Amino acid sequence: MSESPSRRDFLRMVSLAGAAVALHPRALPFSPTFTVNDMKLTFAPYTLELKHTFTIATSSRTTTPDMMVQVEKDGIIGYGEASMPPYLGESQDTATAFLSRVDLTGFPDPFEFETVLASVDAIAPGNPAAKAAVDIALHDWVGKKMGQPWFRIWGLDPKKTPVTSFTIGIDTPEVVRQKTIEADIYKVLKVKLGRDTDKMMITTIREVTDKPISVDVNQGWKDKSFALAMIEWLATKNILFVEQPMPKEQVDDIAWLRERSPLPLIGDESVQRLPDVRKAWGVYDGVNIKLMKCTGMREAHKMITLARALDMKVMIGCMTETSCAISAAAQLSPLVDWADLDGAVLIKNDLFDGATIVDGKVTLWEKPGIGVTKK
Ligand code: MG
């Protein structure tokens, strides 16, 4: 029996539609890419050795406890890291306890960050650096699986990375002078204040260079009138902004200070995670976001978005870290006003090659994921 023209046309249409679906598989209803997830997470303690003794308003040290994390699946390794300066409360023991409870095999698709990372976050309160290590490793793995660096996945222009500041800790005039000379390639210096040597620190640096300085008081000034007098003095010294001038609990004093301050005030210790950005509005002019405080790249991206919506300045900072966590933060840096991403430059035993600082500017490379390779 011969087919009627209409039946022939119908069959042709059906087979063409089938071919179209075959050519465009993404037109199909979504089905998970990974039905069984055998993603393996491993971790090992590591100690960062600092080039110089590092002193801030509240402490002094020569090493930083760290934890290196890897996720592995399909022959791809994603790298992550938790840097844990002791005064922040995490340690290699707390990170070990936390990471031992992370099981990524329960999630069918590692691309589903929202679900996976919310679940990791819910394992226990706190532990922001340990959580960041998992977040960074997952981002690295997903970026490598996609074959793209995160700045590209986020749609950012790598040429828009900011200059990064170089941090000078509290020290004797001789050491401060020497560090200022060593920081020659940096366009901005970040100076730690908050002890009784504050004016000495600034005048010593000003004997060497007139480049812009940002200052970080690390909550060191306890009295608002004293803080205002200091900021008025600093405003005559080519200072960009003042980070965390007073203890984070003194919210009303900081808001009082901000109304009178000739320099922008940036919250750091006051701003840990996403809800803190909303609380910082009206108290600070901007926020300092760090992966180790906020649980990683995903939350940092949300914090930047919220801060921008609130018309606030954004700085991205770091702890002493290897190029792993620094490169992860650098992926976000085209979105911010100021970067303080010198953490890997301050250590002697970096394990990675990643984002670098070229002529004082954060520089991203066309490497997938967070953009690192192991040395
Ligand atoms: Mg700070």
Side-chain angles (χ1 to χ4, degrees), residues 87 190 192 215-218 243-244 266-269 288 290 293 315 318 340:
Y87 64 93
K190 174 167 167 172
K192 294 289 190 178
V215 306
D216 187 358
V217 186
N218 287 112
E243 199 179 315
Q244 199 67 47
I266 307 296
D268 182 4
E269 284 86 343
N288 184 354
K290 295 176 183 167
K293 291 192 298 185
M315 171 180 180
C318 64
D340 177 28

Side-chain angles (χ1 to χ4, degrees), residues 127-141:
N127 295 282
K131 290 171 183 174
V134 179
D135 167 287
I136 294 167
L138 269 177
H139 276 81
D140 193 32
W141 188 92

Side-chain angles (χ1 to χ4, degrees), residues 196-215:
D196 53 9
T197 50
D198 289 354
K199 287 191 177 177
M200 176 281 289
M201 292 284 297
I202 300 296
T203 48
T204 303
I205 292 166
R206 281 287 168 255
E207 286 164 17
V208 181
T209 177
D210 58 2
K211 67 177 71 163
I213 294 174
S214 65
V215 306

Side-chain angles (χ1 to χ4, degrees), residues 262-294:
L263 296 173
L265 303 186
I266 307 296
D268 182 4
E269 284 86 343
S270 294
V271 181
Q272 310 280 318
R273 298 198 55 178
L274 183 59
D276 299 320
V277 175
R278 182 173 49 81
K279 292 180 203 158
W281 187 81
V283 180
Y284 293 98
D285 300 284
V287 292
N288 184 354
I289 296 169
K290 295 176 183 167
L291 300 188
M292 295 301 141
K293 291 192 298 185
C294 77

Side-chain angles (χ1 to χ4, degrees), residues 147-164:
Q148 296 292 335
W150 269 95
F151 71 81
R152 192 168 298 292
I153 296 168
W154 277 321
L156 308 179
D157 180 353
K159 292 190 293 300
K160 289 191 176 162
T161 55
V163 296
T164 188

